[in-house]
Amino acid sequence: MKVLCYTLCLLAAGPLMAQSVDSAQLMKDVRTLSADKFEGRKTGSRGSRLAQFYIIDRFKQIGITPYHNTYEYPFYFQEGDKKIMGTNLYGYIPGKSNEVIVISAHYDHLGTGRSNAAKDSIYNGADDNASGVGTLLAMAAYFKKNPPKYTLLFVAFDGEEEGLQGSRAFVQQPPVPLSSIRLNINMDMVSRNDKGELYVAGTTPYPQLKKYTDAAAAKSNIRLLAGHDVSGTGSDNWTNQSDQGPFHAKKIPFLYFGVEDHPDYHQPGDEYDHIHHRFYYQAVKTILDVAKEVNNTGI
């Protein structure tokens, strides 16, 4: 009994109560998607297809509604002399309004290759970006049980590592009018930081969003810091470095959640065993709190 209480309290960092995030399912999703059998989830690979099957099964379990009876939306892009097919996965939870919030994370990663030790390795991408997909699924599960005001469109993007190919394809052929999309909430690398810091980018170009992030930060058990979104700061500006970029290019406001790079960024060491479980759980709760603030208060 003491072991159970310790585990739950460690994750919740507070008294035992009904939790908004299922910690066991959250960790299972990340552990599964970053397993060796998914072979690094490179776009167009067998491992990518296995990841698609897993995410689709989770969409069905949660009860996300597909558009046109499918969650799968292929797109194509050129890589050298090869034409590559990627597949975005998405569906929605209807709200009281036809106005839409897109909640997104990319599921692809780097596949297999050679590590610095010059041996064959799998780039499992636990933090980058199984952690974002796990967050997306946890948020979907919450809002399925707590019907939202806005229609929430949950998108697992493919081809992010190939130059934001999936999100570019999505904004070119969206399932809803772009004019109805009020916000993109994107997660990319949210499970690992030695200082307990999670960054949110987007409040500099879209200052009207700061009230939502401030409200969530005030009750968070981690440090939610605004930043990495100032033009003219080079690589320190994350605005176009993940899938929120194509939304921003269409003048759709965004909030991007991520951690600063760690030693295993784009390395084979980005494994499930290296994520920070308590930090990750609290990060997911904090991101969910931001989404709840937006949904409850209105944009």
Side-chain angles (χ1 to χ4, degrees):
M1 189 66 177
K2 289 182 179 179
V3 173
L4 176 61
C5 180
Y6 173 80
T7 302
L8 292 173
C9 290
L10 178 65
L11 288 171
L16 292 177
M17 60 184 72
Q19 295 301 311
S20 58
V21 175
D22 182 338
S23 60
Q25 183 64 60
L26 177 69
M27 300 306 168
K28 179 183 177 182
D29 288 335
V30 177
R31 184 174 63 247
T32 301
L33 287 168
S34 59
D36 283 353
K37 79 171 189 175
F38 292 90
E39 299 174 347
R41 308 186 306 276
K42 186 173 178 63
T43 300
S45 70
R46 184 180 74 94
S48 172
R49 190 60 175 152
L50 292 176
Q52 292 166 30
F53 291 153
Y54 181 81
I55 295 168
I56 289 169
D57 282 346
R58 292 286 292 118
F59 278 9
K60 290 177 180 177
Q61 290 167 12
I62 292 167
I64 296 174
T65 303
Y67 289 97
H68 311 298
N69 296 314
T70 182
Y71 299 107
E72 302 174 71
Y73 297 88
F75 61 91
Y76 298 87
F77 62 96
Q78 207 70 27
E79 189 176 80
D81 59 354
K82 295 182 179 179
K83 192 173 187 179
I84 308 294
M85 187 184 87
T87 304
N88 289 333
L89 307 172
Y90 57 81
Y92 67 98
I93 294 175
K96 298 175 183 177
S97 166
N98 289 328
E99 294 184 315
V100 175
I101 297 173
V102 175
I103 298 175
S104 61
H106 76 91
Y107 69 89
D108 65 295
H109 196 50
L110 301 177
T112 59
R114 289 190 174 273
S115 71
N116 294 333
K119 62 181 180 180
D120 289 340
S121 300
I122 301 173
Y123 290 74
N124 285 315
D127 189 35
D128 186 10
N129 185 36
S131 70
V133 177
T135 307
L136 179 149
L137 295 171
M139 294 172 73
Y142 173 84
F143 282 110
K144 184 64 180 178
K145 295 176 181 176
N146 300 272
K149 171 183 175 182
Y150 293 97
T151 293
L152 303 182
L153 207 168
F154 293 89
V155 189
F157 285 122
D158 199 358
E160 191 272 352
E161 303 286 8
E162 309 293 339
L164 315 184
Q165 297 294 340
S167 49
R168 293 179 193 276
F170 179 88
V171 299
Q172 288 171 6
Q173 290 187 302
V176 297
L178 285 180
S179 59
S180 71
I181 300 176
R182 302 300 306 277
L183 176 67
N184 171 227
I185 298 175
N186 187 49
M187 293 84 65
D188 191 351
M189 297 174 56
V190 294
S191 66
R192 180 174 172 183
N193 184 267
D194 290 333
K195 296 182 286 186
E197 295 176 348
L198 177 70
Y199 275 90
V200 56
T203 62
T204 298
Y206 303 103
Q208 70 272 25
L209 301 178
K210 194 171 187 298
K211 61 185 177 183
Y212 309 116
T213 60
D214 283 351
K219 57 185 177 181
S220 177
N221 287 314
I222 60 172
R223 295 181 67 198
L224 180 63
L225 304 174
H228 293 293
D229 57 5
V230 178
S231 62
T233 55
S235 61
D236 195 54
N237 181 4
W238 296 350
T239 298
N240 295 310
Q241 294 186 26
S242 189
D243 289 311
Q244 71 278 354
F247 289 88
H248 176 63
K250 297 292 186 181
K251 304 188 185 306
I252 297 170
F254 73 87
L255 290 171
Y256 164 56
F257 296 89
V259 297
E260 292 184 321
D261 291 352
H262 47 71
D264 289 325
Y265 170 67
H266 279 193
Q267 297 296 323
D270 186 5
E271 302 271 6
Y272 173 76
D273 289 345
H274 291 168
I275 71 170
H276 301 161
H277 289 212
R278 182 187 178 280
F279 171 80
Y280 178 41
Y281 177 75
Q282 295 296 341
V284 174
K285 287 185 67 180
T286 300
I287 297 167
L288 175 59
D289 280 344
V290 172
K292 287 158 65 175
E293 290 286 343
V294 173
N295 182 69
N296 294 338
T297 305
I299 302 174

